[in-house]
Structure formats: structure tokens, C-alpha cells
Amino acid sequence: MQLTGDRFTSATGLFGNDLVTLPDFPAEIRAPRGTLHGVSAFQIQFASRDILTPGDEPSVLVAMNPAALKTNIGLLEAGGAVIVNDDEFNARNLERAGYATSPLDDDSLAGYRVFRVPMQTLTLRATEGIAGLSKREAERAKNFFALGLVSWMYGRPVEVTEQWIAEKFAGKAEIRDANLAAFRAGWNFGETTEVFAVRYEVKPAPAAPGVYRNISGAAALAWGLIAASVRSGLPLFYASYPITPASEILHELSRHKNFDVRTFQAEDEIAAANLALGAAFGGHLGATGTSGPGMDLKAETIGLAVMLELPLVIVDVQRAGPSTGLPTKNEASDLMMALYGRHGEAPLPVVAAYAPAQCFDAAIEAVRIAVTYRTPVILLSDTFLGNSSEPWLIPAVDDLPVIDPAFTTDASSSDGFLPYSRDERLARPWVVPGTPGLEHRIGGLEKQDGTGAVSYDPGNHERMTALRAGKVAGIARDIPPLEVDDPDGADLLVLGWGSTYGAIRAAARRVRSRAGAVATAHFTHLSPLPENTGDVLASYERVLVPELNSGQLVRVLRAEYLVAAEGYSKMQGVPFGFAELEREIERRL
């Protein structure tokens, strides 16, 4: 189903619609077939206008078996269309899904428009005569039958899917021919049958001129790291241990060795962090990625990077936790860990992406801060952002910021080399090992101010602690102010971070359409916060902070600015819907 959804998304993007997707799949590699917890789903909202979320209530549900129907029917809008694979609604599958009787034969689906399509039978009929094709292989093509049918319903271009099938399965002629036959059969079934009385036309969405492509958050983040590598002249070294949902970043980067990218699959999370930090010491762009459990293990190395004051980017693609938790479900509950999850006084910058395509810019910004200020930076994404996709206007490389590593190469200073001297930003020198005359000591023990020698002096430790904290706090002067969208002079501000961006904007748009006044703002930089944050908070009578956690940012805002900000939390493994935020905004208005 993920493959089917991805193909529909590609055709939709090529047609020119705006879109946002929501893949939803189980944690098990191969969950028991026909069971509720084994259902894999893919949701997409597309339109001829700008959209911000994958939608709250789908208008069409394609259910390939009873378990898929039972799991997702509650999401469907009243009066929506249900297209079911009739062949799968047998006694065994109904029992697995927990149905006492078939929902197709009782009144449980009376509130929907139900279309019973024998997809398996029609797929077998369409693939008859393909040499070397087994019945089992033929049956597996039924997802392409469903794709063909829905593509017909919404007028999606067929050429892009047919070309992809031909290229993807070029090495297996019988599988290629079966998938093509099933896809065409699904399209033809929609075209010739009189079951479907309506076909929809969704015109292309207005867009700025340029070259676009669909991109997932994981791919955008990987490409952002590559772009930052190019713009800084630093070879990218990315070390990671496989973990859901961050593994796709490693997979994507491993495909781009032509950009001087080196990827390393480490034996564990600690090794991955140490490798990346070693690469930073060696004069490379060192980066590592993981999710919540891996962040726990990387904490000691991140603390070492704080002490060494070396640039390192740590990507945390958040998921529902704690522990193993819900590995494939969404949550944004690692903020406190990113801000404070190290022993000792170890502040560091935190940047959060807020949309799939914007992960590209967030990655470049994280690298810019890390390299400029000689500090580790945590870049927060989450499962929804990593897996979801949307159209992306490909930027011109020359328009991307130049990142100057400014390596120290001159050893002619009369005072000798001081590895912990500082520039106006409080950043220390960065030296490639082996540079003549610039040899110096590094390590986790406290450094003497200036010389970098090991020091146990109490006053020096306090001074160095203050210098490291001051360097991070000073980044606030180098980041944009918090922008507020307030066209109507509102009294209520809805303030978010991370992937809540789309739902907040969509909810505010709907409230304003009914003459309601609401302001919105969204954080990209969470440590340090923008300099005008306090002024913004003080400008509104009420501040609402929706979060996919128990209220972590709202605690920070209350503590730092002494404001009575209100939290609204959700921890169900799924993103906010715009309707639930709309209700919360209306209730406060």
C-alpha cells in the first residue's frame, strides 16, 4: 500500500496539484496478514489550491481486506465512498478482523456509498496467459488494479505510472507485465463499468515558476546536508545505526557518493556518534542521525562535542516513546531531551523542521550554525515529516547560503597557537589535524581558557561554562525574529513548533474564513529562542501552544518568560487534525 500511495502521489505531483501525504504502517516487517495491527495505510490530500495537511476525513477509502476497512472506516467522512476488494471478505478474513458478520451485508455501512469490486478476480483475469507468472504472483498485482481504478476516478496521468512499472520491474518481465496489466485493468474497469457514476477533475494548483518535484522530509533533509556540504566545501561524513524512522536518511545519502558523501553504518548508536565527531575533528562535516532511543545513547558523545567545541549535526527523527514505544508512529516528545538531556551544563543550539520540503532548509541552517559557532547542533524532525511528502520548488544552488568553515592555518602568531581563544562570536579556532605548528590537545577534561590545557581550577571551570553558554545564547543575534501572522489584530496567539505547522495554519485559515481573529507563529529555532520571543508573548492576552507531547515547549515558555501560556497536547501516534485545533481555537475565542 505504501508503494501504491507513492505512485499515486507521483502522478498527482506531475499533474500539478498541491498535495500532502500521510503514510501509516505497522512496526512489524511482515505483520500477520489480515490482522488489525498489520494494516498498512497511505493517505493523501490533493487540490487545485494551496493545502497544508494530509486532511482530517478522507472522502474515499479503498479497503483491500476486512481489517483495512475496520481500522480506517472511522476516519472516513459521512457519506464518503468505500471501495472494497470484495474477494477478500470471506469467513476467514472476517474472523481475523473481528467481524461477526460481513459489514457488506448488514447495515453497518449504511452511512457510506459502498462499491464492491472483485479486484483479485479481475486481476487474475487480466493477467491470464502471461508466461512464467504463478497465481500467487498474479494475485499480488491487485494493488495496481486498485491504483488504476482510483487513477481513473481522479483523472491521474497513466504514463508516469506505466513508465515507472516498466523500469522498476525491467529485470522480471512476468512481474512487469502482470503489474501493467492489472493497472490497465483497473483503469478500464472504471472507464467501462456503470458502478461509478462520478469522475472527479482536480485542476493544477497555481505555483511560482520553476522546477518542482515531490520530496519526502527524509530525502529533503539528506539533500540539505549535501547542499550544506557543497556550500561549505566540507566533505560530508554521515554515520548512523539503522533505526526507524531515521534509516531513510542513511539510505538516501548512501546514493550520492558523487557529491563526496561518505556514509557509515555503525555497529551501534554510540559508535555512530563518535565516528561523526571524529570526522568533525578531522575537518569534515560530521553528522549522525537517529530517533529517540538512539539519542539516549548518543548523549555522552554529544556532551563531549560540547566540551571539544567542534561542529557536529545530530538529527533526531522523533517517534512515539519512551523506550521502543510505537516505532512507526508520530510524536514530538524529545524537545526536553534536546534542550537538557546531557549531564553537566551542556547547552547547544536546537533547530526544528516544520514541513517535509522545509527539512532541506532546516538541515542547511543546522550546519550553518554548527560550523560558524563550533558547536554540536540538534536538528529535530519527526515520523510524519520524515515519511510525508509534498511538492518542492528546487532552489538554485547559488541562492543557498555560503558557509565558511574558516579553518585556522596560520601558525605565525607571536603568542603561539591558542586553541581556545575566541572570535567575536565566542567560537574557537577549527584546525585540520596535521597543520604544521597548530598541534593542540583535545579531550573531555575541562580546558584552560585560551591554551586548552587540562585545568582543574574552579574559577576557570566557571568561566569556561559561562563562555560555552554565552556562545549559544549569542546565536539569537544571528537568527531571524519570530514572525507573527496576525492580519486582524487578534487577542489569541497560537504558537507552535515542528510538524504542527500545517494543522495550525489550516485551522487558523478556517477560523478567519468565519471572521474569527487569531494570530499564529511558529518556531524554527528552539535554542536559543529568537530575541523578540518575549515581546511577542507579551503582545497577546492568551497564548495557545499545541504540541504532540505532554506540553514541553509550554513549560519552557512559562519558565523563561513568566507567561500564562496554555498547552494543548496530543499523544496518539498521529498528527493533529486541523479540525481539532479549530475547535480549541474557537473555544478560546
Side-chain angles (χ1 to χ4, degrees):
M1 296 316 297
Q2 301 307 313
L3 180 70
T4 306
D6 181 71
R7 291 300 91 207
F8 188 88
T9 299
S10 294
T12 298
L14 186 65
F15 188 75
N17 297 132
D18 195 21
L19 63 93
V20 180
T21 67
L22 175 60
D24 183 19
F25 45 86
E28 293 81 6
I29 294 174
R30 191 171 294 279
R33 186 171 181 270
T35 60
L36 297 179
H37 65 273
V39 172
S40 176
F42 190 101
Q43 181 171 317
I44 177 172
Q45 179 178 202
F46 58 101
S48 56
R49 55 179 173 77
D50 170 52
I51 56 174
L52 297 162
T53 76
D56 282 13
E57 297 179 319
S59 54
V60 176
L61 170 64
V62 180
M64 301 301 288
N65 57 33
L69 177 67
K70 190 168 189 178
T71 302
N72 293 288
I73 189 64
L75 302 175
L76 194 63
E77 68 178 8
V82 183
I83 303 172
V84 298
N85 177 18
D86 202 21
D87 291 326
E88 286 289 307
F89 280 73
N90 53 47
R92 185 181 182 187
N93 287 338
L94 290 168
E95 182 181 2
R96 281 178 172 177
Y99 281 116
T101 60
S102 174
L104 305 182
D105 299 325
D106 57 27
D107 295 329
S108 59
L109 299 178
Y112 307 100
R113 293 173 291 127
V114 180
F115 302 95
R116 302 173 65 162
V117 181
M119 298 184 191
Q120 204 157 302
T121 299
L122 294 173
T123 299
L124 289 173
R125 187 179 303 167
T127 55
E128 286 178 349
I130 296 178
L133 184 71
S134 68
K135 181 181 178 182
R136 178 182 175 85
E137 290 170 333
E139 288 177 345
R140 291 184 64 184
K142 63 182 178 290
N143 64 321
F144 281 103
F145 181 97
L147 177 60
L149 175 56
V150 179
S151 296
W152 172 84
M153 287 181 65
Y154 288 97
R156 304 296 88 185
V158 298
E159 296 81 6
V160 60
T161 300
E162 291 181 338
Q163 181 180 351
W164 181 88
I165 293 173
E167 294 174 355
K168 175 70 174 178
F169 302 101
K172 297 180 179 179
E174 69 278 9
I175 304 298
R176 176 199 62 204
D177 294 345
N179 289 335
L180 283 170
F183 177 72
R184 291 164 180 163
W187 177 280
N188 293 333
F189 180 80
E191 182 76 24
T192 58
T193 186
E194 296 182 0
V195 172
F196 300 94
V198 178
R199 189 184 187 198
Y200 301 91
E201 179 184 1
V202 184
K203 295 181 179 180
V211 178
Y212 288 79
R213 61 156 288 150
N214 284 333
I215 196 165
S216 69
L221 200 154
W223 289 17
L225 291 175
I226 294 172
S229 169
V230 171
R231 298 299 279 170
S232 65
L234 298 171
L236 174 60
F237 180 88
Y238 184 87
S240 183
Y241 178 77
I243 184 170
T244 301
S247 297
E248 186 53 38
I249 300 172
L250 176 63
H251 298 164
E252 183 63 29
L253 286 173
S254 68
R255 302 182 182 112
H256 298 289
K257 296 178 182 178
N258 55 307
F259 288 109
D260 205 9
V261 175
R262 295 169 174 85
T263 53
F264 192 104
Q265 180 174 315
E267 66 269 27
D268 56 50
E269 297 282 5
I270 300 172
N274 282 322
L275 285 158
L277 182 56
F281 172 65
H284 286 56
L285 175 54
T288 183
T290 187
S291 191
M295 287 293 290
D296 296 339
L297 294 167
K298 293 182 190 295
E300 183 179 2
T301 300
I302 297 172
L304 176 60
V306 171
M307 180 64 79
L308 298 180
E309 299 188 54
L310 285 172
L312 174 68
V313 175
I314 307 100
V315 179
D316 178 10
V317 188
Q318 301 166 94
R319 70 190 203 190
S323 188
T324 310
L326 304 174
T328 62
K329 306 304 179 183
N330 194 55
E331 202 166 274
S333 50
D334 293 352
L335 177 58
M336 286 298 186
M337 178 169 62
L339 295 174
Y340 309 116
R342 294 160 297 283
H343 66 278
E345 295 289 338
L348 51 72
V350 178
V351 175
Y354 61 78
Q358 189 268 339
C359 286
F360 178 84
D361 300 310
I364 294 177
E365 176 66 356
V367 172
R368 184 192 72 83
I369 292 173
V371 170
T372 302
Y373 290 88
R374 316 302 201 227
T375 178
V377 176
I378 292 178
L379 172 56
L380 295 176
S381 178
D382 62 28
T383 303
F384 171 50
L385 292 181
N387 294 334
S388 181
S389 60
E390 64 180 355
W392 175 52
L393 174 60
I394 300 176
V397 174
D398 290 341
D399 293 339
L400 301 177
V402 175
I403 302 171
D404 184 6
F407 288 117
T408 299
T409 57
D410 186 6
S412 62
S413 173
S414 59
D415 297 328
F417 177 52
L418 297 176
Y420 279 83
S421 61
R422 300 181 184 277
D423 63 14
E424 69 280 1
R425 300 184 183 91
L426 300 181
R428 79 172 187 90
W430 190 12
V431 177
V432 176
T435 304
L438 299 181
E439 299 84 357
H440 60 283
R441 181 195 302 267
I442 65 166
L445 293 171
E446 183 62 277
K447 307 293 183 293
Q448 177 69 40
D449 185 16
T451 68
V454 173
S455 173
Y456 288 92
D457 177 73
N460 178 76
H461 173 59
E462 187 168 52
R463 183 165 58 254
M464 293 296 283
T465 300
L467 284 170
R468 289 188 290 262
K471 178 175 67 173
V472 173
I475 297 172
R477 297 188 294 270
D478 191 25
I479 61 176
L482 181 63
E483 293 187 7
V484 180
D485 179 22
D486 185 3
D488 304 309
D491 295 324
L492 172 66
L493 171 67
V494 184
L495 183 58
W497 71 276
S499 63
T500 60
Y501 174 81
I504 290 173
R505 291 285 301 275
R509 180 185 291 175
R510 288 168 64 93
V511 170
R512 290 168 183 165
S513 71
R514 297 189 298 275
V518 58
T520 64
H522 212 80
F523 285 115
T524 299
H525 298 86
L526 292 163
S527 175
L529 293 166
E531 286 188 306
N532 67 329
T533 300
D535 293 337
V536 169
L537 293 173
S539 300
Y540 292 90
E541 292 183 13
R542 303 185 76 175
V543 177
L544 174 64
V545 185
E547 294 187 77
L548 296 171
N549 56 53
S550 61
Q552 296 185 14
L553 177 61
V554 75
R555 291 190 188 99
V556 173
L557 298 178
R558 288 170 177 170
E560 295 292 330
Y561 300 101
L562 302 179
V563 294
E566 307 169 41
Y568 177 65
S569 297
K570 180 175 182 177
M571 290 163 288
Q572 300 176 15
V574 294
F576 278 119
F578 60 80
E580 59 186 307
L581 293 186
E582 182 184 2
R583 287 192 297 269
E584 288 300 313
I585 292 171
E586 290 282 11
R587 189 165 67 85
R588 285 162 175 79
L589 291 180

